[in-house]
Structures are given as structure tokens and as C-alpha cells.
Amino acid sequence: MSAAIETDVVIIGAGPVGLFAVFELGLLDIKCHLIDILPMAGGQCAELYPEKPIYDIPGHPTVTGQGLVDRLLEQSEPFKPTFHYGEMVEAIEVLGDGSAPLFRLRTDIGKTITCKAVVIAAGGGSFQPKKPPIPGIEAYEGTSVHYAVRKMEAFRDKHVVVVGGGDSALDWTLNLQPLAKRMTLVHRRDDFRAAPHSVNAMRDLVASGQMDLAIGQITGLDGADGHLSAVDLKGADSSVSRIACERLIPFFGLTMKLGPIANWGLNLTENLVAVDTEKFETSTPGIFAIGDINSYPGKLKLILSGFHEGALAAQRIHRYVYPEKRLTFQYTTSSTSLQRKLGVA
Amino acid sequence: MPSITFIDSKGTSRVIDAEVGSTVMETAIRHKVPEIVAECGGACACATCHVYVDEAFMPIVGKPQAMEEDMLDFAYDVKPNSRLSCQIKVTAALDGLTITTPDRQG
């Protein structure tokens, strides 16, 4: 299914820098759509360290990752950005030229968006599930090895092995246990990060013999033609045992990969997108890169650098979106027109 | 300055003078030691600076705290001498430490 959308700017990445770019572009009457592979805004701040304090945001002696994201969402709210969560931009087609850029973006679910400028604010890249270092695991991916549960029915009457000690691992262990022929949870230590009530529920099922808990790390897979039959488990004492397994679901958290951005024909420097320091524009006019994803002499990977980069990029983007209009620089403290846009005047 | 030897998964070793007060991760990144990624920049929020500590130094370096132990769940091939290098502060006592890096960090 595909829906054709038209807008001024698409921002790839809804982390702190992408969110602040909505604000800076909004002040210049530029409408934005944001696309992020995560199911929520905030990027690394929300996914990696929501509870951890950040001490180097100007004007905030201390703010948590999630706290900063919440405030940035509030700040960009007057400009009504549209969010597309759980999607990744796969391809960018260049339709215009350097004087009048126009792009068509396609996401991994087939959605297309046409826009006059693209802002890549993708941080460390897109979050993807980490794969355990088990030799030959690729041969079973999609058939017997899954990094997320899409349809529970696919696990009915199967020997299921879930790996991990966090909430995802425990929640899916408990959800799939009633369906599975036999459920085994594998974790490297007998101590779990997951919520205590799910850990207790799992231990009750183990105590009553309704599922198994195995402490150790999976070192090998056995099967044929993409169909798994057993896994090898190396215990804490280095002894290896074999567990029947037709479906393996490893939950090893997420990692960041540059992903499709590498294929968009942009000049890259050590896996980062090269930009100038006047407009933060890439080698393709109309495509900008701000925040941790970009590279230029003297670059510092700080959130505040990304804010600055977004403000400067917005100035050039205004010229692409409104080629006929002259941009007059204004302050939010004194400009009634800016204050009206913010809904405070 | 305490000297730390980093041995990568292919067996290449690099001897580096570390600054007291910095972390083993920062020392590695500053000297472009391969196989240490440090995605989160030292917040103990990922597991991409995973290293193996020389057994002889384990009593000095110590065991991971609870938060680090949680993050180690995301590392590959965790061993009893596994640590996240962002959580190891460089002190004079670490002079002569050998750190081995795994062949992948996720």
C-alpha cells in the first residue's frame, strides 16, 4: 500500500536535533514530516538513556534524556509536524536540480513523500536489532530465527527458545509460553533486568515444570534448509548441552547502523555525511545533514551543535521552499509575527 | 603515566600511555584503538566498549557494578573477565594492564 504525501521538508530522525529543526523551520513557515524507525520520538535520548541526566544543554543544568525530548516536543508542537514512526527511508530520488531541488522519498513500507528539502538528522544511524554472534545464524533468519515477534501463531506448537534478560525477552517468554510446545528462556546469568513481576511469573512457570530456564550462552545451531532443530548452550561451567529448538528469538537490544543512507550518493567521511559549515548541506543540493550523523572540520558530537546546525540549515532551506521571498532575520523575543506562529501573541 | 597494552582480536598489540582520571574507553578512542566503538560515548548505555581484562589485574580493576552488569547482557561472548571499558577509570595501579578486545561489538 502506498500513500503519496507532499510537504516542504522531510526530516529523517526524530531525535533531539530533528525535533529542534522542526522549530527552526517552523519559525520560517516551513512544514515538516519526520520519519523515524523507532516507535517514538527522541532517538538515542529516548532509546538508550531516557533516565540518565544530561548536563550540557544550555539553560538546563540537568535534564534527563526523556525530559529533554518531552520539552523539545512541546517546543515544536505549535508547528504541527507529522510523525511517521516505525519506518525507515530506503531511497531518495532526485527530481529537481540545484536551483530548485525536489525529492521523492520512499520508506520501507512503500510510503512516498515528495519534498523540497531533506534534513538527515539520523544520529548514529537507524536502530536495528543486534544479532548474536552465532556462526551460520543468517541461514535461519526469517524462517526459524526472529528478532521480533510479528505473528504469535507462527510459534504455536513449536519448541521456542527466547534469549535475553530484559523486558522484551521476559514479556515474549510469558506471552508465547502457552502456545509453544515447549518454551526455554536462555540468559547468560541468573539475574534479570526485566520488571520483577514478569521475572517472578517466569520463575513460577519454571518451578511448576511448564517451561525451562537455561543459564548460559548459545554457541551453535543445528538444522537444515533454514529450519532449526536444536541449539547448543554453553553453561557457566563451559559444559555444552543441546536444547530442542524450532524457533529462536534473540533479544540483544538495538544497535545503530548507517543503513540505506550510505546508498544515496552523498559524499561520506568515515561513515558520516560530509557537510559545509555555512548551511550544513551535503554534496547534493537540497539534502542537509545535522547532528551526530554529519562531519566537518572541528565537529563536536554534542546535542547543542546539532541545534546550531539546524538553525543555519533552515536559513538555506527557506530559499528552496520560498525562492521568491526575502528572509528577514527576526528574534522570538521581539517579533510579533514569530510570536503569533508560536501562539503566544 | 600508566601504560596500557591493547591486544585486538587478530593479536596486534598497541602500548598506550593513559592519562590518570580518564577511562580505558576514552584512552582507546583517543588513540584510535580498533574494536572499541563506544556508541553512547561513555554513559554505560550501550555495550560497544566491551573488553576482556587481564586476569592478573581483575582484583585491581574489580567486578562490574549492577548497571554495567545489565549492559553486559547486550555484549557478545561475555566472559568472567568481561568489562565495559568506559567504566574502568585509569589509576596509577593500572600500569602494565593488558586489555583484549573482542572481534565484534554489535
Side-chain angles (χ1 to χ4, degrees), chain B residues 77-90:
Chain B
D77 201 10
V78 176
K79 298 175 185 172
N81 60 335
S82 284
R83 287 291 311 263
L84 296 182
S85 55
C86 73
Q87 301 301 307
I88 307 174
K89 277 254 189 280
V90 175

Side-chain angles (χ1 to χ4, degrees), chain A:
Chain A
M1 210 190 82
S2 84
I5 301 166
E6 278 181 38
T7 187
D8 293 334
V9 172
V10 170
I11 300 173
I12 301 172
V17 169
L19 292 174
F20 191 66
V22 172
F23 178 85
E24 287 293 336
L25 290 162
L27 287 179
L28 307 183
D29 295 315
I30 300 167
K31 293 269 167 253
C32 299
H33 281 238
L34 293 98
I35 302 174
D36 201 297
I37 195 163
L38 293 176
M40 72 290 181
Q44 290 180 50
C45 284
E47 178 63 36
L48 286 184
Y49 50 90
E51 307 295 331
K52 289 192 179 162
I54 310 172
Y55 301 107
D56 60 356
I57 305 297
H60 293 274
T62 169
V63 60
T64 62
Q66 190 58 50
L68 177 66
V69 171
D70 291 344
R71 287 191 181 96
L72 285 164
L73 280 168
E74 187 188 332
Q75 198 167 19
S76 65
E77 210 280 329
F79 304 111
K80 306 271 178 262
T82 308
F83 292 93
H84 304 266
Y85 292 127
E87 283 179 60
M88 181 166 71
V89 176
E90 271 189 347
I92 298 186
E93 196 184 336
V94 180
L95 305 175
D97 58 32
S99 56
L102 193 65
F103 303 96
R104 190 186 298 132
L105 279 64
R106 198 189 66 242
T107 73
D108 56 345
I109 63 159
K111 199 182 275 175
T112 61
I113 306 183
T114 309
C115 59
K116 293 170 182 153
V118 176
V119 176
I120 303 174
S126 53
F127 279 97
Q128 316 208 339
K130 271 196 199 181
K131 300 175 176 187
I134 307 170
I137 192 164
E138 293 81 12
Y140 299 99
E141 285 171 358
T143 45
S144 292
V145 174
H146 303 272
Y147 298 102
V149 176
R150 304 242 181 264
K151 275 202 225 107
M152 285 177 58
E153 275 307 308
F155 300 88
R156 184 178 292 280
D157 297 325
K158 302 287 181 196
H159 285 282
V160 180
V161 175
V162 172
V163 191
D167 282 316
S168 304
L170 269 288
D171 289 350
W172 283 115
T173 296
L174 297 175
N175 284 332
L176 294 174
Q177 183 274 332
L179 274 74
K181 186 190 276 175
R182 189 72 187 172
M183 168 63 74
T184 308
L185 174 64
V186 171
H187 187 41
R188 73 170 181 96
R189 57 190 175 124
D190 198 2
D191 204 356
F192 295 84
R193 303 184 307 282
H197 66 88
S198 19
V199 176
N200 292 339
M202 178 273 295
R203 291 206 191 275
D204 286 348
L205 288 170
V206 172
S208 59
Q210 297 178 75
M211 63 163 280
D212 301 307
L213 169 64
I215 304 301
Q217 299 177 67
I218 290 179
T219 52
L221 306 173
D222 190 30
D225 304 326
H227 296 283
L228 205 55
S229 54
V231 295
D232 289 328
L233 178 89
K234 192 172 93 182
D237 57 356
S238 289
S239 65
V240 176
S241 54
R242 184 154 274 220
I243 302 169
C245 172
E246 294 158 291
R247 296 283 183 271
L248 178 66
I249 323 175
F251 289 108
F252 276 80
L254 301 171
T255 182
M256 285 174 283
K257 297 256 184 278
L258 188 59
I261 294 172
N263 310 325
W264 297 343
L266 306 172
N267 285 352
L268 301 179
T269 315
E270 287 183 23
N271 245 5
L272 296 165
V273 183
V275 292
D276 64 66
T277 51
E278 181 197 346
K279 314 174 299 286
F280 299 94
E281 199 164 21
T282 67
S283 54
T284 301
I287 302 184
F288 297 76
I290 58 176
D292 284 0
I293 196 97
N294 75 13
S295 169
Y296 53 84
K299 167 73 181 181
L300 278 184
K301 285 193 185 188
L302 292 177
I303 292 173
L304 73 92
S305 309
F307 291 164
H308 160 82
E309 294 158 13
L312 265 63
Q315 298 289 311
R316 167 59 64 133
I317 294 171
H318 182 270
R319 211 189 288 179
Y320 291 141
V321 176
Y322 298 111
E324 73 291 352
K325 275 195 213 168
R326 235 185 97 225
L327 181 58
T328 331
F329 181 68
Q330 300 178 84
Y331 292 104
T332 54
T333 40
S334 52
S335 157
T336 321
S337 116
L338 292 186
Q339 289 168 359
R340 272 201 205 103
K341 293 173 197 176
L342 292 168
V344 292

Side-chain angles (χ1 to χ4, degrees), chain B residues 1-63:
Chain B
M1 281 199 273
S3 129
I4 299 179
T5 303
F6 290 89
I7 303 178
D8 69 25
S9 62
K10 290 172 199 77
T12 308
S13 66
R14 295 167 180 78
V15 183
I16 288 167
D17 288 331
E19 213 173 292
V20 169
S22 68
T23 66
V24 170
M25 179 278 280
E26 289 163 348
T27 306
I29 294 293
R30 222 173 278 147
H31 292 87
K32 298 200 184 314
V33 171
E35 298 182 343
I36 294 182
V37 179
E39 211 164 67
C40 79
C44 196
C46 68
T48 59
C49 67
H50 173 213
V51 298
Y52 304 117
V53 173
D54 179 3
E55 293 287 357
F57 272 85
M58 275 310 279
I60 302 169
V61 174
K63 287 274 170 199

